[in-house]
Amino acid sequence: MNSAVWRLLLLCLAAGLIPFWPSSFQKTPPQEYQESFAGWPREWQGLPLRQLPLADYEQAFGTGFPGRLARFTDGRRQIVIRWITQATRKLHPASDCFRALGYDISPLPAARTSKIHHLHCFLATAQRDKFHVCEWVQDDRGGQWSDISQWFWQALMSPESGPWWSYTVAEPLSP
């Protein structure tokens, strides 16, 4: 093999080993993140929020999660909010969760609101249940990510840009 192929193979091997890098070499978020949680929002788009108990799978997900998570309803939609203090692979696309619960996933075009630049949206369908689901991550300084992987790499390389808020909004659709 020529030297270019060897360099490419070594680069791929090094990239594959990054997740196993000893944590003592990784950047860590400032300690004040752990103490700066201001609490959950009380309303969503003008509607009062009511906190719901976490399902068993959500409680299991929360074990070892760097931050906090809670589930709410505004009377129509379910909203899962996560407050995240460091880059983590425990935050993954909501479509993975719905798929694991037996839903078929149909991607939708990226959506936009007046306050959020881009939302990752999809339809989740299982038997008679159908949900329109959108998700995004944002920080308190105006940074927004519709792609969880994109957020992860940004958070890993710039931990001082956190903490972050992840939102997943599931709106039931009529059958």
Side-chain angles (χ1 to χ4, degrees):
M1 284 195 260
N2 66 32
S3 64
V5 172
W6 276 109
R7 283 194 300 261
L8 179 62
L9 287 173
L10 285 173
L11 182 62
C12 289
L13 177 64
L17 293 174
I18 287 174
F20 304 103
W21 194 277
S23 60
S24 61
F25 293 109
Q26 294 178 2
K27 296 179 180 180
T28 56
Q31 180 60 33
E32 66 265 15
Y33 289 176
Q34 298 300 330
E35 296 132 18
S36 67
F37 181 69
W40 301 113
R42 296 185 185 274
E43 64 177 43
W44 188 263
Q45 296 177 342
L47 297 171
L49 283 178
R50 181 173 51 91
Q51 190 165 354
L52 300 170
L54 294 176
D56 291 341
Y57 66 88
E58 290 169 319
Q59 289 178 1
F61 172 83
T63 303
F65 184 78
R68 302 174 188 216
L69 68 136
R71 187 165 51 106
F72 301 88
T73 184
D74 65 1
R76 187 180 48 147
R77 300 168 289 193
Q78 287 200 23
I79 301 131
V80 176
I81 304 174
R82 296 171 191 90
W83 182 74
I84 311 156
T85 60
Q86 67 185 52
T88 178
R89 285 294 184 190
K90 288 206 82 159
L91 181 66
H92 50 272
S95 57
D96 292 352
C97 295
F98 275 88
R99 211 176 270 113
L101 293 170
Y103 286 82
D104 291 323
I105 304 302
S106 301
L108 294 173
R112 213 182 157 131
T113 70
S114 59
K115 292 185 180 184
I116 309 300
H117 297 299
H118 294 285
L119 307 159
H120 172 255
C121 299
F122 59 91
L123 289 178
T125 309
Q127 298 174 341
R128 298 194 71 182
D129 293 333
K130 190 172 189 177
F131 293 92
H132 179 263
V133 182
C134 291
E135 66 183 335
W136 69 96
V137 179
Q138 66 186 49
D139 61 27
D140 292 333
R141 290 175 281 299
Q144 297 175 355
W145 300 265
S146 60
D147 180 272
I148 302 299
S149 184
Q150 185 183 39
W151 164 80
F152 172 79
W153 288 106
Q154 171 66 30
L156 185 67
M157 297 301 158
S158 300
E160 68 282 352
S161 66
W164 305 269
W165 294 87
S166 165
Y167 300 93
T168 302
V169 179
E171 182 171 357
L173 301 175
S174 301

